[in-house]
Amino acid sequence: MGMGYLRVGESGRCFMRDGRPFFWMGDTIWPAVSWYTIDELKAYFAKRREQGFTVAHIMLPWTMFDGSEESRKAQAIPDELPLWHNDDPASPNEAYFEKLDEVIGIAADHGILLTILPNGGGSGTHVDYKKIITMDNVRAYGKWLGRRYRDEPNIVWVNGFDLLPWLYEDIAREFNAGLMEEDGGKHLIFYHPCGGASSNHFHSEEWLAANFIQTWSDMYSIQGMVAADYHRRPPKPVVHVEGAYEAGTEYTTAPITSWHVREQAYWSYLSGGFHTYGHNDLWRKTPHWRDALDARGAWQMKVLKDVFESVEWWRLVPDQRMIKPLFKHGHVAARSADAGSGANGCAGGFALIYYAHRSTLSVDMYKVGGGAPVSAEWIDPQNGERLGKTVYTDAVCRITSPARCDDALLLLRA
């Protein structure tokens, strides 16, 4: 589709592509190259384009959970291509990367950026750094990838995975050096940490384009972790890249419903970051993966994106002080940077407030209109239905979310 390389904007807060702000709305399909056929991936990317996703996360090292023939047949998993010859990253298998080439092309055809994790990570189903990826071979591997894909704009590279960032950091830096040596810095580089961690361990290093956060099961840490990375200096974009997967069963809050999906996403975006969704049946490739493409949470991500794209979302700054109670109960707020700045600045002022459940909040309207009247419109985040408008003239108003909505989104405009 003729799209350029992903870049970080001048503000350091958001991504840019082809001179325009890029709305990062990700999805996770880790074993795309290893377990999915090309025809299956064509169906996957077509559906995700329809739903508005802009990013897909894949991993190159991927192995069976138990290696049994029964497991393979149950999940309809094709025979895996080895990633490297003799488990040596310095000796990539051409056939595997020819398939990756096809996957990159399919994603590009559907306008979806690929984030590629070439190294796996620390858990038992992925690559063991201590045995396979070493200081002796990782730079050569990075150089080979950088050389092969330097002119492919539809990808970014992601180091790590399921690792505390300070483990094997010498290997991470050596891999990055190999990449950059051959691609001249054309592609952004990120780091994917383990659950409960952020890549901010590397925040001061120039190669780290943005901070990635994985909360895994601890959904209620999203607001705090995203906000903390948002306020770091120098500013860098923040992406909540892995939380609790829809329909996942291994979490203390399981099963993960579409309500959990919505909460995680709005907490991420309105706390100053971006977000990546995931579904249990896709990253595991269960026999139900095709049905999972139409999961309620996936379609509700499209509702979210449509709402954000109805305003100049890149102007949003988190402002939890707009509402009381503050962080209690998971409600979250953000406003446009110039909102409430007076007669000239407030003309385009707007704000978004996510009510995580039916509740009454005190809302500081002055932060939106600067004393001018403010129009408030309710949106049902389950289906995007607009539920009517009210104009407020008071500086602070007590506003109760609609009784018909489990959770709700309030769009304010000066």
Side-chain angles (χ1 to χ4, degrees), residues 98-117:
E98 286 177 357
K99 186 176 181 183
L100 175 60
D101 297 343
E102 288 189 76
V103 176
I104 293 172
I106 296 168
D109 289 343
H110 290 86
I112 295 177
L113 178 79
L114 278 188
T115 70
I116 303 177
L117 285 80

Side-chain angles (χ1 to χ4, degrees), residues 9-30:
E10 289 185 10
S11 69
R13 298 297 189 192
C14 70
F15 300 102
M16 303 290 291
R17 199 169 192 189
D18 298 324
R20 298 185 298 272
F22 177 83
F23 190 79
W24 182 299
M25 191 173 86
D27 184 40
T28 302
I29 183 166
W30 297 124

Side-chain angles (χ1 to χ4, degrees), residues 27-31 35-36 48 62 65 75 216 242-251 254-257 261 277-293 295 298:
D27 184 40
T28 302
I29 183 166
W30 297 124
W35 284 4
Y36 285 84
R48 288 306 190 234
W62 196 263
F65 288 101
Q75 298 178 76
W216 195 64
E242 196 172 9
Y245 289 81
E246 185 170 14
T249 59
E250 66 267 43
Y251 312 105
I256 303 302
T257 67
V261 167
Y277 161 87
H279 195 287
N280 178 75
D281 294 331
L282 280 164
W283 83 264
R284 297 184 190 276
K285 201 193 180 192
T286 75
H288 311 291
W289 72 268
R290 286 186 184 273
D291 294 332
L293 288 174

Side-chain angles (χ1 to χ4, degrees), residues 116-261:
I116 303 177
L117 285 80
N119 299 332
S123 70
T125 56
H126 310 302
V127 170
D128 187 336
Y129 269 50
K130 294 180 290 185
K131 296 180 180 178
I132 297 176
I133 298 177
T134 68
M135 287 292 288
D136 293 332
N137 58 35
V138 71
R139 190 180 187 109
Y141 178 41
K143 290 177 65 174
W144 188 88
L145 289 171
R147 183 165 55 251
R148 184 183 183 97
Y149 294 107
R150 64 175 297 159
D151 296 322
E152 174 49 66
N154 200 52
I155 64 172
V156 294
W157 297 112
V158 185
N159 211 326
F161 188 84
D162 273 355
L163 288 167
L164 291 167
W166 49 88
L167 296 179
Y168 313 114
E169 58 183 290
D170 53 343
I171 292 179
R173 292 189 178 100
E174 189 75 358
F175 175 76
N176 295 340
L179 273 178
M180 293 186 290
E181 184 176 337
E182 290 294 333
D183 83 352
K186 285 186 173 182
H187 297 99
L188 299 185
I189 301 177
F190 308 88
Y191 188 98
H192 191 119
C194 65
S198 166
S199 62
N200 60 40
H201 177 71
F202 299 109
H203 184 84
S204 63
E205 301 189 27
E206 290 187 5
W207 62 264
L208 187 75
N211 280 311
F212 275 12
I213 294 170
Q214 180 186 167
T215 57
W216 195 64
S217 63
D218 187 9
M219 294 185 295
Y220 301 105
S221 67
I222 292 173
Q223 285 179 267
M225 291 184 71
V226 171
D229 279 352
Y230 175 86
H231 289 290
R232 292 185 186 277
R233 294 291 184 271
K236 292 186 177 184
V238 184
V239 187
H240 179 238
V241 291
E242 196 172 9
Y245 289 81
E246 185 170 14
T249 59
E250 66 267 43
Y251 312 105
T252 56
T253 50
I256 303 302
T257 67
S258 58
W259 191 349
H260 294 121
V261 167

Side-chain angles (χ1 to χ4, degrees), residues 13 226-227 230 236-238 267-274 316-318 334:
R13 298 297 189 192
V226 171
Y230 175 86
K236 292 186 177 184
V238 184
W267 290 338
S268 300
Y269 287 110
L270 296 179
S271 296
F274 298 91
L316 282 170
V317 296

Side-chain angles (χ1 to χ4, degrees), residues 248-390:
T249 59
E250 66 267 43
Y251 312 105
T252 56
T253 50
I256 303 302
T257 67
S258 58
W259 191 349
H260 294 121
V261 167
R262 297 192 301 275
E263 285 184 320
Q264 292 180 95
Y266 285 104
W267 290 338
S268 300
Y269 287 110
L270 296 179
S271 296
F274 298 91
H275 182 72
T276 289
Y277 161 87
H279 195 287
N280 178 75
D281 294 331
L282 280 164
W283 83 264
R284 297 184 190 276
K285 201 193 180 192
T286 75
H288 311 291
W289 72 268
R290 286 186 184 273
D291 294 332
L293 288 174
D294 280 309
R296 293 184 65 193
W299 282 107
Q300 288 163 8
M301 289 294 292
K302 183 179 187 302
V303 172
L304 178 152
K305 186 184 178 194
D306 288 345
V307 171
F308 275 77
E309 290 195 332
S310 71
V311 297
E312 294 178 335
W313 58 265
W314 55 92
R315 292 168 52 202
L316 282 170
V317 296
D319 189 350
Q320 199 66 13
R321 293 173 298 177
M322 277 192 65
I323 58 176
K324 293 181 180 179
L326 295 175
F327 286 99
K328 190 176 180 182
H329 305 310
H331 310 306
V332 62
R335 59 172 173 80
S336 55
D338 58 357
S341 58
N344 294 325
C346 72
F350 63 92
L352 287 167
I353 302 173
Y354 175 67
Y355 283 60
H357 55 83
R358 286 189 289 273
S359 188
T360 299
L361 297 177
S362 292
V363 180
D364 187 345
M365 294 296 187
Y366 193 87
K367 285 179 172 286
V368 181
V374 174
S375 171
E377 182 177 22
W378 286 107
I379 303 170
D380 187 339
Q382 296 194 55
N383 53 30
E385 183 181 354
R386 305 280 174 139
L387 304 176
K389 294 182 180 180
T390 303

